[in-house]
């Protein structure tokens, strides 16, 4: 039996990587998978995507212009037909049973939006001897930090933990997405668009929890550098960091007006400057990790027999 879930996967210029992760979404047994091509050049090959699923439950819609992540999420939600939305990504694999596990928490009636741990990997899951696991967490404070609005995604909650925000690979009611909506003002890399969405959802009364269960596996190998919001090189890094600063400043200004979040969002200019200084420490490593003598490193290898799943 198919689950009453519409999976929405925004993508941009990552066709090969998208095709590699798609089988992990197909095996979730959800009613439909909606791929939102955010005006890729060249356009995403729909035939190649549909060939991954004999059941033909994959639909591809193409934005007539770049809408970035917030607009693409809303475009996919508008095309969805099921009562629940699971947001996927073109560089994230889902462990078996991911969607079914999350659905059980929503159908309990206790929560409106849920997500499990999200673990960084460097190659295809089938090529890993062991998927790394995070430490157990028994309190929300071990997972989310309001001071800088970060989430320890690899933490393993021992029970459902109510939290003020989640990571991007979450299951939620479609009605909640349409009511809260992702803010298209977050441009470029759309930094903070997810945190903004969740905080506004919480203020509107929607209940969120970080829950035990199968994980999302975030691939961070070489192919993830190309397409999406990333390109190799110094200019791309400056472009990315400019939008990080711009979006963070907008985010802090917005929530500084709310009494609940004002202690963490006041002085948005100085807080943003401090964040960018901390990020700058990692710039050399990021540049070295993207290229090595002009050759790709840490390339994804799709196991034999998986290409046509």
């Amino acid at each position: 039996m198919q689950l009453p879930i519409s999976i929405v996967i925004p993508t941009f210029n990552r066709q090969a990587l998208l095709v590699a992760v798609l089988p992990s979404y197909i095996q979730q047994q959800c009613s439909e998978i909606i791929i939102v091509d955010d005006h890729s050049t060249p356009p995403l090959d729909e035939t190649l995507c549909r060939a991954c699923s004999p059941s033909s439950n994959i639909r591809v819609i193409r934005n007539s212009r770049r809408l970035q992540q917030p607009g693409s999420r809303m475009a996919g939600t508008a095309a969805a037909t099921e009562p629940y939305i699971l947001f996927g990504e073109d560089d994230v694999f889902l462990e078996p049973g991911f969607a079914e596990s999350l659905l059980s928490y929503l159908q309990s009636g206790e929560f409106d939006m849920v997500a499990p741990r999200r673990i960084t990997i460097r190659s295809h899951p089938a090529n890993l001897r062991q998927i790394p696991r995070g430490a157990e967490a028994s309190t929300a404070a071990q997972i989310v930090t309001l001071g800088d609005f970060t989430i320890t995604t690899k933490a393993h909650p021992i029970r459902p933990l109510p939290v003020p925000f989640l990571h991007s690979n979450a299951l939620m009611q479609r009605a909640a997405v349409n009511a809260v909506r992702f803010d298209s003002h977050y441009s470029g890399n759309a930094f903070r668009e997810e945190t903004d969405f969740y905080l506004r959802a919480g203020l509107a009364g929607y209940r969120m929890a970080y829950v035990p269960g199968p994980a999302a596996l975030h691939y961070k190998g070489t192919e993830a550098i190309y397409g999406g919001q990333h390109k190799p090189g110094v200019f791309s890094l400056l472009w990315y960091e400019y939008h990080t600063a711009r979006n963070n400043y907008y985010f802090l200004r917005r929530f500084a007006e709310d009494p609940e979040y004002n202690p963490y969002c006041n002085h948005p200019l100085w807080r943003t400057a401090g964040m960018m200084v901390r990020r700058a420490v990692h710039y050399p490593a990021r540049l070295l990790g993207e290229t090595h003598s002009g050759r790709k490193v840490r390339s994804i290898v799709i196991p034999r027999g998986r290409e046509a799943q």
Side-chain angles (χ1 to χ4, degrees):
M1 187 177 80
Q2 291 185 322
L3 303 177
I5 296 173
S6 297
I7 298 177
V8 174
I9 309 175
T11 187
F12 175 68
N13 285 356
R14 275 185 177 164
Q15 179 167 288
L17 186 53
L18 173 65
V19 172
V21 306
L22 262 180
S24 75
Y25 290 88
I26 294 167
Q27 72 178 354
Q28 302 300 319
Q29 299 297 310
C30 293
S31 177
E32 62 182 357
I33 299 173
I34 301 171
I35 300 171
V36 184
D37 178 10
D38 194 18
H39 206 68
S40 297
T41 52
L44 181 67
D45 188 337
E46 297 184 25
T47 303
L48 192 62
C49 293
R50 293 196 179 100
C52 295
S53 175
S55 62
S56 299
N57 66 335
I58 295 177
R59 285 194 285 149
V60 178
I61 61 177
R62 177 173 167 81
N63 296 336
S64 59
R65 59 183 178 84
R66 286 295 309 279
L67 297 181
Q68 306 293 347
Q69 284 287 93
S72 295
R73 291 181 195 276
M74 294 311 305
T77 301
T81 60
E82 296 299 327
Y84 299 102
I85 298 289
L86 172 60
F87 285 111
E89 294 177 85
D90 58 14
D91 58 356
V92 169
F93 297 85
L94 302 183
E95 287 191 320
F98 183 94
E100 185 175 12
S101 173
L102 294 185
L103 183 61
S104 67
Y105 290 106
L106 289 195
Q107 290 184 331
S108 72
E110 189 175 356
F111 305 109
D112 305 301
M113 303 177 180
V114 291
R117 62 192 175 207
R118 173 168 143 142
I119 302 166
T120 297
I121 59 174
R122 299 290 176 177
S123 64
H124 194 289
N127 296 323
L128 297 174
R129 292 183 180 179
Q130 184 176 4
I131 294 173
R133 301 293 174 181
E136 288 188 346
S138 57
T139 65
Q142 293 173 285
I143 297 174
V144 298
T145 304
L146 280 172
D148 55 6
F149 294 97
T150 57
I151 182 168
T152 306
T153 59
K154 65 181 179 180
H156 175 52
I158 62 174
R159 62 179 179 274
L161 298 174
V163 291
F165 56 91
L166 302 166
H167 60 69
S168 57
N169 304 124
L171 179 71
M172 61 197 71
Q173 300 167 351
R174 178 160 59 98
V177 182
N178 285 324
V180 179
R181 303 188 64 83
F182 287 88
D183 184 352
S184 61
H185 187 86
Y186 291 93
S187 61
N189 61 6
F191 184 73
R192 293 299 191 198
E193 53 108 6
E194 294 153 5
T195 313
D196 176 290
F197 172 84
Y198 290 125
L199 293 189
R200 288 188 291 111
L203 292 172
Y206 292 100
R207 302 157 298 172
M208 287 163 275
Y210 203 63
V211 298
L217 307 175
H218 188 198
Y219 172 70
K220 294 286 283 185
T222 300
E223 282 78 1
I225 297 172
Y226 300 89
Q229 306 298 340
H230 302 278
K231 294 179 182 178
V234 175
F235 178 79
S236 176
L237 176 62
L238 293 175
W239 178 92
Y240 190 93
E241 295 304 314
Y242 161 75
H243 286 284
T244 297
R246 173 193 180 277
N247 291 335
N248 190 71
Y249 178 69
Y250 171 76
F251 167 82
L252 293 177
R253 284 193 63 187
R254 161 177 274 191
F255 289 97
E257 299 175 3
D258 184 89
E260 183 174 349
Y261 294 111
N262 174 267
Y264 314 106
C265 298
N266 56 14
H267 307 298
L269 182 60
W270 290 111
R271 287 180 181 270
T272 297
M275 182 191 73
M276 298 309 295
V277 169
R278 293 191 294 272
R279 290 175 65 88
V281 174
H282 302 287
Y283 291 171
R286 287 175 59 187
L287 288 171
L288 288 174
E290 290 174 356
T291 57
H292 180 68
S293 301
R295 293 180 286 109
K296 290 184 179 181
V297 294
R298 291 186 181 271
S299 180
I300 191 171
V301 177
I302 302 175
R304 293 178 63 84
R306 285 182 171 261
E307 294 87 341
Q309 277 192 23

